[in-house]
Amino acid sequence: MSKQPQSEIKGDELVGKGHVVKSDSRKINTSSELPDRTTGRSAPLGATVVEGGVNFSLYSRTAAEVELLLFDSVNDGTPARVIRLCPADNRSYFYWHVFVPDVKPGQLYGYRIDGPTDLSSGLAFDSNKLLLDPYARGVAVPQDYQRTLAYEPGDNTATAIKGVVVDSHDYDWEGDLPLNTPASRTIIYELHVRGFTRHPNSGLTADKRGTYAGLIEKIPYLQELGVTAVELLPVFHFDPQDCPPGKVNYWGYAPISFFAPHPGYSSRLDHLGPVDEFRDMVKALHRAGIEVILDVVFNHTAEGDEQGPTLSFRGIDNRTYYILEEDGARYANFSGCGNTLNANHPVVRRMIVDSLRYWVEEMHVDGFRFDLASILSRDESGKPHPNPPVLWDIESEPALAGTKLLAEAWDAAGLYQVGNFVGDAWNEWNGRFRDDIRDFFIGASGSVRSAADRMVGSPEIYGHKEREVEHTINFVTCHDGFTLNDLVSYNEKHNAANGEDNRDGSDDNRSWNCGVEGPTSDPQIEQLRNRQIKNFLASTLLSLGVPMILMGDEVRRTQQGNNNAYCQDNEISWFDWSLLEQHTDLHRFVRFLCARRSQRELSHEQFPVSLNALLNNAKKAWHGTQLDRPDWSDHSHSLAFQATLTTNGMQFFLIMNAYWESLEFELPQLESNRWRRWIDTSLVSPEDIVELEDAPEILTDSYLAADRSVVLLYASI
């Protein structure tokens, strides 16, 4: 071990026998459950505030020595106290633990661990590095944090991230309860906490921009838009320096902690502030009727590959936390980020479930979107597991019952499980909806049949599972890729600002610039782009499944053609609030769609029915320009769909014309009334979408759908 300050204390010198502690609101007489000296308890893991002090517990199977360091200031290079844990007294099997009296919430701490270093065996201890507790509920980042010092030789204590002791029960939720919004009425809005309010024109004071508190102030905007859930890009504490030199990891897919909210998103400067400010945000969103879904990253960490920094897991128990290659010295890289979390190891499985349970029970979140979720199905050798234990642990955990679970059912190593993700309670990001709807509206050959299937819940993909209608999460754009504005404005990615010579980001964008690459003042092209954006939004919000829209798509937010803006913490990524005034017509269009979506009837959820059963029993028909004659050929670019909703007393006729000319569609005959036009994306606002009761009657037996347009007609039964 490295040389210690004079304030070193042995773990068994801290307290006397029979100390009574309180854990999880239950009093425990430790004299009957602990050794002769009160040396702490192995459970729960992390720093737990109990009566009279704090219990610290850490898992490390192969550590030889463990020290707990306590700090007075986050920038301190020398700890105020060093507590050496005695293996004989402070270790139970592979759990190192100690009770420290008089420690209070807000205390800063970290670990130093020594043990064998043998990379061929996957052992990577470095006693010079201060390590973050994997279960830390809060983190504090020094002003001069330097990621490089965590992988260069030498002591990095002064610049290392410290854990913060948090009393997770010390918060007044004021009766806050889960909203449990039905899936059929859920509309997800994917947003970045910082990017949503960081722009100088957000109308917020400088201290609130880019923070949880700033998001609270923009809740009225979300309410007016009509979304029912926000899906927040990663808020687990991440390393902003995990990126190319001179850039910043803006998206946050570089986790260091799975329990602590990112302090960089807090307007409060005290160490406990980020936890409480995050909870203030959740409570305020719930009061507004908006659920909170977290984008969680359990597939890798910010420690990177074998050349990466030692921040936490690597220096605590490398072989437990990561999947290693056969030589033991290199990391399996199914995430594309340098390493892969060993998610199906019993200890890591426990940590993942403990994390999810914590965010539900103590932070009141409503759901999770699992980044690269297919990695969670890989076993300890990296091979796909037919019944991955961690996925079933998550699904069967009682505390998570009713929580929304969304899987990004693929990984960076080619494992693609859309339609086949393991489990019964999981919903899936439907990447094929994105691709097929894009193909349809850019006029790709052979796209009609797939687009039709996506609009009715993708039975081609999910029918075999006999899952419910909302199994599919439908989206056309997300944080990864073009915004909707850029999807209709660029044929190619323009990622030069990322500093990788435009090599990064996907080349498979399925986009069309409508005739000009990038911004244009041509009114006809602008009109076409606006129409195409409305087509994509209408398809997403009218389809069967759970719709998701990307932050700013409702006002044509642009990233200037950058389809991989993960390192752009600037106006490329931020929500430009001036766009709301420029594109009021589009904003209104989305508001009207959301308002109608949130009123959907719930009978199929109250009495669960599979997607197959719903479609088989529905009164529906596919048409082309002629009734009952859909054109499924490869050269077709249009379709029409008729459905009757008995419970609503209405029938609908949907026209999707991706052809470059107007087409005349025959309309079904009605007995006693006429079709009314609710939506026509080719019309100028406010005629593009109207209130149902104001919808004009169609006086003819056919409808002329303009080129590249979506039309929805309705009639009462």
Side-chain angles (χ1 to χ4, degrees):
M1 301 290 288
S2 57
K3 186 177 179 180
Q4 307 301 332
Q6 295 180 350
S7 56
E8 179 179 302
I9 304 173
K10 291 183 179 179
D12 58 3
E13 294 175 357
L14 289 170
V15 292
K17 297 180 181 180
H19 185 79
V20 178
V21 301
K22 183 172 72 172
S23 177
D24 295 332
S25 302
R26 296 169 293 177
K27 289 195 174 182
I28 301 172
N29 187 334
T30 58
S31 62
S32 63
E33 299 189 22
L34 296 177
D36 288 342
R37 293 179 183 272
T38 305
T39 52
R41 305 184 69 222
S42 60
L45 285 163
T48 305
V49 178
V50 294
E51 186 176 312
V54 172
N55 186 83
F56 294 88
S57 180
L58 177 81
Y59 174 89
S60 182
R61 183 185 182 94
T62 50
E65 296 181 51
V66 175
E67 291 178 341
L68 172 66
L69 283 63
L70 304 181
F71 297 88
D72 291 335
S73 171
V74 67
N75 298 308
D76 287 350
T78 301
R81 284 198 284 174
V82 176
I83 303 165
R84 178 177 294 172
L85 277 59
C86 173
D89 297 327
N90 299 100
R91 185 176 69 179
S92 300
Y93 295 100
F94 309 122
Y95 296 89
W96 299 75
H97 46 79
V98 65
F99 173 78
V100 186
D102 301 323
V103 171
K104 301 184 183 302
Q107 174 67 58
L108 304 178
Y109 72 102
Y111 288 97
R112 273 201 296 245
I113 300 179
D114 202 2
T117 299
D118 180 5
L119 295 183
S120 65
S121 299
L123 301 172
F125 292 105
D126 185 347
S127 60
N128 288 311
K129 298 297 182 279
L130 185 72
L131 304 174
L132 181 67
D133 177 5
Y135 275 73
R137 266 54 173 182
V139 299
V141 183
Q143 292 178 349
D144 57 348
Y145 166 71
Q146 295 182 50
R147 175 179 173 85
T148 55
L149 295 182
Y151 58 77
E152 294 176 350
D155 189 332
N156 74 326
T157 303
T159 63
I161 301 166
K162 278 87 172 174
V164 180
V165 174
V166 174
D167 183 356
S168 59
H169 301 294
D170 185 20
Y171 183 78
D172 184 3
W173 279 103
E174 301 179 282
D176 180 74
L177 293 171
L179 295 178
N180 294 320
T181 303
S184 61
R185 291 185 177 177
T186 295
I187 305 169
I188 299 172
Y189 188 78
E190 189 196 34
L191 70 82
H192 189 285
V193 171
R194 178 172 170 81
F196 191 49
T197 63
R198 177 60 186 83
H199 202 289
N201 66 14
S202 65
L204 305 184
T205 57
D207 62 316
K208 294 289 183 66
R209 295 175 198 154
T211 67
Y212 305 119
L215 197 155
I216 292 173
E217 295 199 22
K218 289 297 186 180
I219 288 177
Y221 174 83
L222 298 171
Q223 283 183 296
E224 181 188 25
L225 189 61
V227 298
T228 69
V230 289
E231 183 175 306
L232 306 180
L233 265 68
V235 296
F236 291 0
H237 178 60
F238 62 90
D239 187 354
Q241 295 181 17
D242 185 9
C243 59
K247 304 300 178 183
V248 62
N249 192 311
Y250 169 73
W251 282 350
Y253 291 94
I256 302 173
S257 170
F258 298 117
F259 291 84
H262 188 60
Y265 294 161
S266 177
S267 66
R268 292 176 52 172
L269 301 179
D270 59 298
H271 298 317
L272 294 175
V275 179
D276 284 343
E277 189 172 321
F278 179 89
R279 293 192 280 197
D280 290 344
M281 177 192 70
V282 173
K283 184 166 60 176
L285 284 163
H286 282 179
R287 285 175 173 170
I290 299 172
E291 293 185 309
V292 179
I293 299 171
L294 302 186
D295 191 336
V296 293
V297 185
F298 290 116
N299 56 75
H300 76 283
T301 77
E303 291 187 307
D305 62 16
E306 52 274 8
Q307 304 300 320
T310 298
L311 303 169
S312 178
F313 309 94
R314 188 199 308 272
I316 294 173
D317 200 316
N318 191 49
R319 293 191 303 194
T320 290
Y321 285 107
Y322 295 114
I323 298 178
L324 304 177
E325 298 286 5
E326 290 184 5
D327 61 8
R330 293 178 298 118
Y331 294 88
N333 186 16
F334 301 111
S335 67
C337 298
N339 63 53
T340 303
L341 204 66
N342 193 6
N344 281 295
H345 185 286
V347 169
V348 184
R349 284 164 49 195
R350 175 184 177 184
M351 179 185 70
I352 290 172
V353 174
D354 285 349
S355 168
L356 297 173
R357 187 168 59 242
Y358 173 75
W359 287 96
V360 168
E361 293 182 336
E362 305 298 340
M363 306 297 269
H364 283 211
V365 304
D366 304 279
F368 306 94
R369 176 266 187 188
F370 291 76
D371 178 64
L372 298 181
S374 289
I375 285 180
L376 302 183
S377 71
R378 293 185 182 271
D379 64 21
E380 294 182 50
S381 68
K383 297 178 180 178
H385 194 297
N387 283 294
V390 68
L391 295 182
W392 290 110
D393 285 352
I394 294 169
E395 184 162 319
S396 61
E397 168 57 45
L400 303 180
T403 300
K404 291 179 169 64
L405 303 175
L406 285 56
E408 183 185 37
W410 54 84
D411 68 19
L415 189 58
Y416 192 80
Q417 298 176 320
V418 172
N420 294 290
F421 195 75
V422 175
D424 296 325
W426 296 80
N427 297 66
E428 296 177 18
W429 263 30
N430 191 345
R432 290 182 60 184
F433 181 96
R434 172 199 60 208
D435 295 344
D436 293 335
I437 295 299
R438 287 187 182 192
D439 278 347
F440 177 77
F441 281 111
I442 66 174
S445 177
S447 59
V448 171
R449 189 177 294 275
S450 294
D453 191 78
R454 304 300 160 259
M455 291 299 296
V456 293
S458 297
E460 174 189 277
I461 302 174
Y462 299 113
H464 69 283
K465 299 191 75 170
E466 291 297 333
R467 287 296 309 274
E468 67 280 359
V469 179
E470 284 75 26
H471 185 66
T472 170
I473 307 298
N474 296 334
F475 66 101
V476 173
T477 56
C478 64
H479 68 277
D480 190 1
F482 281 148
T483 65
L484 263 187
N485 178 82
D486 293 357
L487 188 67
V488 301
S489 303
Y490 295 91
N491 285 348
E492 308 293 339
K493 64 185 182 183
H494 295 264
N495 297 357
N498 296 351
E500 299 182 45
D501 296 324
N502 210 40
R503 294 188 303 270
D504 64 306
S506 175
D507 294 316
D508 182 19
N509 295 296
R510 305 178 191 225
S511 61
W512 177 48
N513 64 18
C514 298
V516 173
E517 188 75 355
T520 180
S521 58
D522 187 318
Q524 289 186 321
I525 292 178
E526 273 295 285
Q527 184 182 49
L528 176 57
R529 288 176 176 177
N530 222 40
R531 185 188 308 178
Q532 286 283 73
I533 290 173
K534 290 178 182 178
N535 291 339
F536 285 124
L537 288 167
S539 300
T540 303
L541 285 158
L542 294 175
S543 60
L544 291 182
V546 177
M548 184 185 79
I549 55 180
L550 173 64
M551 176 188 87
D553 275 353
E554 73 279 9
V555 291
R556 290 187 60 175
R557 184 178 72 87
T558 178
Q559 292 179 173
Q560 302 169 27
N562 193 321
N563 73 350
N564 188 36
Y566 77 100
C567 59
Q568 300 295 330
D569 186 10
N570 50 50
E571 293 190 24
I572 289 176
S573 298
W574 300 340
F575 191 114
D576 180 355
W577 289 88
S578 70
L579 295 173
L580 182 57
E581 183 176 351
Q582 295 179 39
H583 299 291
T584 55
D585 64 320
L586 185 59
H587 183 264
R588 174 185 177 275
F589 186 81
V590 176
R591 284 194 296 109
F592 273 55
L593 281 172
C594 288
R596 187 62 195 173
R597 178 89 190 195
S598 64
Q599 297 171 11
R600 294 179 70 185
E601 61 93 18
L602 306 175
S603 61
H604 74 277
E605 288 199 52
Q606 296 165 343
F607 306 98
V609 60
S610 71
L611 172 62
N612 284 345
L614 181 72
L615 293 177
N616 289 336
N617 295 326
K619 186 177 180 181
K620 65 184 189 307
W622 289 103
H623 308 285
T625 55
Q626 296 178 302
L627 293 176
D628 301 313
R629 295 184 63 181
D631 184 355
W632 303 117
S633 65
D634 286 351
H635 64 266
S636 174
H637 300 284
S638 64
L639 59 91
F641 179 68
Q642 180 184 4
T644 299
L645 302 180
T646 307
T647 53
N648 286 18
M650 301 176 70
Q651 53 184 321
F652 292 91
F653 192 79
L654 174 67
I655 299 171
M656 298 172 67
N657 181 20
Y659 194 52
W660 43 88
E661 295 180 4
S662 299
L663 295 175
E664 191 89 22
F665 285 80
E666 293 180 355
L667 299 180
Q669 294 295 312
L670 301 176
E671 293 183 2
S672 58
N673 53 13
R674 293 186 179 276
W675 291 104
R676 293 176 176 269
R677 189 195 70 234
W678 179 38
I679 297 171
D680 186 335
T681 60
S682 71
L683 300 179
V684 177
S685 182
E687 300 302 319
D688 54 347
I689 186 169
V690 299
E691 298 286 359
L692 283 180
E693 57 271 22
D694 297 331
E697 288 187 347
I698 306 302
L699 303 179
T700 58
D701 294 332
S702 63
Y703 191 91
L704 182 63
D707 59 292
R708 298 185 175 93
S709 67
V710 170
V711 176
L712 187 62
L713 311 178
Y714 84 94
S716 58
I717 298 176

